[in-house]
Amino acid sequence: QLQLQESGPGLVKPSETLSLTCTVSGGSIGSIGYYWGWIRQPPGKGLEWIGSVYYSGSTYYNPSLKSRVTVSVDTSKNQFSLKLSSVTAADTAVYYCARIMITIFGTEARGMDVWGQGTTVTVSS
Amino acid sequence: QSALTQPPSASGSPGQSVTISCTGTSSDVGGYNYVSWYQQHPGKAPKLMIYEVNKRPSGVPDRFSGSKSGNTASLTVSGLQAEDEADYYCSSYAGSNNFVVFGGGTKLTVL
């Protein structure tokens, strides 16, 4: 059974870079037909997609965060990562990683079928 | 402000049916049959309930169904049960520039 687990610092200082890793177990991050993504949820608010990566390294980013976001993949470790630079208090949220089903011959996102448990990141000095 | 519009709340009594709407544009909901719905209980990760407008993952009760008309998608929960009380989020593929967009979420209360 595929499982995802987020890891990384729970506290980040303003203006610094938030770094998180998602470890995939029970399956291969190189499986065809899936992107791997990051989604966040500020306290008491809704879900926001941040960015996604394919095993080949191809990425998509939320246009509103694109200038600060990097999502990368390490197939040798079965992991993918998120870096969000120049953070502010507005970046305080629960960060989830998820597997995104895509169409075989295209890259349309069909739905997110496996989620990590989430990790809370607070931006504060 | 979320890309997709959902009502902030919905409610129904046990056994009843409730429908939650999700309105987008021709660039997302209306342009693709890739609408998905997620259930989130407090303190938990979201769970996929519906994908590709009306498909249910294995293990999701058939009380949950999805549909779409134009730029609006809907999630219907029939035979409401106490455990259905949760937040529900819709999402849609939105093309190569935006990839994925979410709705603001709907809190479903079982009276």
Side-chain angles (χ1 to χ4, degrees):
Chain A
Q1 180 181 355
L2 191 81
Q3 293 186 318
L4 306 181
Q5 179 67 59
E6 306 90 348
S7 60
L11 181 63
V12 182
K13 290 182 168 57
S15 80
E16 294 190 343
T17 296
L18 178 160
S19 296
L20 296 175
T21 296
C22 183
T23 300
V24 179
S25 59
S28 172
I29 203 169
S31 298
I32 293 173
Y34 301 102
Y35 260 72
W36 304 89
W38 290 97
I39 302 92
R40 69 180 182 179
Q41 186 171 36
K45 296 188 178 181
L47 302 171
E48 179 181 35
W49 170 69
I50 301 171
S52 303
V53 65
Y54 198 50
Y55 75 91
S56 62
S58 176
T59 54
Y60 288 103
Y61 296 129
N62 185 322
S64 68
L65 298 169
K66 188 173 184 177
S67 64
R68 299 194 292 130
V69 173
T70 302
V71 180
S72 59
V73 63
D74 187 336
T75 54
S76 67
K77 295 182 178 179
N78 230 28
Q79 296 176 333
F80 62 104
S81 300
L82 167 70
K83 291 188 184 300
L84 180 65
S85 64
S86 305
V87 298
T88 69
D91 295 309
T92 293
V94 175
Y95 285 76
Y96 295 100
C97 58
R99 186 175 76 169
I100 306 172
M101 303 181 291
I102 61 169
T103 53
I104 294 297
F105 298 108
T107 55
E108 292 89 351
R110 301 163 53 218
M112 302 176 188
D113 64 339
V114 183
W115 292 68
Q117 65 185 24
T119 188
T120 300
V121 178
T122 301
V123 178
S124 174
S125 56
Chain B
Q1 187 173 352
S2 302
L4 306 180
T5 300
Q6 298 180 234
S9 63
S11 63
S13 299
Q16 289 186 333
S17 294
V18 64
T19 297
I20 299 170
S21 64
C22 170
T23 302
T25 68
S26 59
S27 296
D28 38 64
V29 174
Y32 309 94
N33 288 323
Y34 298 120
V35 176
S36 49
W37 290 90
Y38 303 87
Q39 177 191 66
Q40 186 180 37
H41 287 110
K44 299 296 186 182
K47 174 186 176 183
L48 179 66
M49 304 301 284
I50 296 287
Y51 67 102
E52 292 183 36
V53 176
N54 56 16
K55 295 181 180 178
R56 279 187 311 276
S58 175
V60 172
D62 60 6
R63 303 185 293 104
F64 291 85
S65 61
S67 62
K68 191 187 86 166
S69 178
N71 295 337
T72 298
S74 299
L75 172 72
T76 298
V77 185
S78 305
L80 271 175
Q81 298 182 4
E83 58 261 37
D84 300 332
E85 185 164 294
D87 293 326
Y88 290 84
Y89 293 90
C90 64
S91 178
S92 175
Y93 175 68
S96 59
N97 286 333
N98 287 311
F99 199 57
V100 172
V101 290
F102 282 100
T106 298
K107 182 175 181 60
L108 174 61
T109 300
V110 179
L111 302 171

